[in-house]
Amino acid sequence: MTGSLPPLNPEEEAVVRALARAILVVPRALDADLSREQRMSLNEYSALQHLSEAPGRQMRMSELAAACDLSLSGMTRIVSRLEQPGYIVRERCVEDARGWNAVLTDAGLTRLEQAYPTQLASVRRHIVDHLEGLDLRQLATALQNLATTGICANHPDDGRVPPAPPNGPDDNRRAAPANGRATGLAANS
């Protein structure tokens, strides 16, 4: 199969290697900053963030797991940790009594807003500050294509449910909390 494909040129090889390294290093750095300054893991922040952006601040557990790119059992453990201080509650799904929704509480939204400055500074330091001069729209589209098309996105080998693809580079589903600050990586336009 590879016999008919041309080898990667030096620029392509450099991109592949740098991307592989960044995929490993950047999440660790973001997690370390949140853990050190907020005593919150990146996965916990991500769960709170996704719930804050969801209609009614609630999602089915399976949808939340997919949005956070975690297994359902991994998400269950995270939600259990976030239930202890009252940041999330679980409620039976109205549509399907067999399923459960994770619901962000007011305390959870407040906690997310407290952690947001740390996350923002971390994202800027470890990601955004290194992208100066790049076409960010084009980069976002390319990264979204990597994450939402092809065999990697559609066939995870670890039991995770692949997330639904976004509507495109202009997809702006993130909602700002009541105080107007965005809690995600991007603010609403």
Side-chain angles (χ1 to χ4, degrees):
M1 179 189 206
T2 58
S4 63
L5 295 175
L8 296 177
N9 67 40
E11 288 175 341
E12 292 169 331
E13 184 71 30
V15 167
V16 169
R17 289 176 184 231
L19 180 60
R21 178 87 173 130
I23 287 169
L24 296 173
V25 171
V26 172
R28 288 183 199 150
L30 298 175
D31 187 70
D33 287 348
L34 277 170
S35 295
R36 182 180 57 257
E37 295 181 31
Q38 295 293 326
R39 304 224 185 286
M40 174 186 288
S41 73
L42 182 58
N43 285 332
E44 291 166 342
Y45 183 91
S46 182
L48 295 176
Q49 175 188 348
H50 284 290
L51 288 171
S52 77
E53 299 164 353
R57 296 190 323 206
Q58 64 181 341
M59 296 175 77
R60 281 186 75 105
M61 289 289 292
S62 58
E63 292 170 353
L64 183 58
C68 294
D69 199 30
L70 294 170
S71 68
L72 185 54
S73 64
M75 182 52 60
T76 299
R77 286 189 296 277
I78 288 168
V79 167
S80 293
R81 283 195 306 267
L82 293 170
E83 276 182 310
Q84 291 171 1
Y87 300 150
I88 292 178
V89 295
R90 276 186 261 203
E91 297 177 353
R92 284 263 183 219
C93 295
V94 175
E95 304 84 22
D96 175 9
R98 295 176 299 155
W100 289 90
N101 286 333
V103 182
L104 182 67
T105 65
D106 290 342
L109 184 59
T110 298
R111 182 66 182 104
L112 178 63
E113 290 170 344
Q114 289 169 347
Y116 174 69
T118 298
Q119 175 68 353
L120 176 61
S122 183
V123 166
R124 286 202 173 281
R125 183 173 55 257
H126 297 297
I127 301 171
V128 177
D129 290 350
H130 301 277
L131 304 178
E132 188 173 328
L134 296 178
D135 181 334
L136 296 183
R137 184 177 297 268
Q138 187 176 9
L139 177 62
T141 298
L143 293 173
Q144 287 172 346
N145 287 338
L146 279 174
T148 60
T149 61
I151 195 160
C152 294
N154 296 321
H155 300 288
D157 60 0
D158 59 4
R160 288 177 285 143
V161 179
N167 296 329
D170 295 321
D171 182 22
N172 208 357
R173 292 176 286 181
R174 290 186 169 86
N179 68 6
R181 289 192 328 238
T183 56
L185 299 179
N188 286 338
S189 11

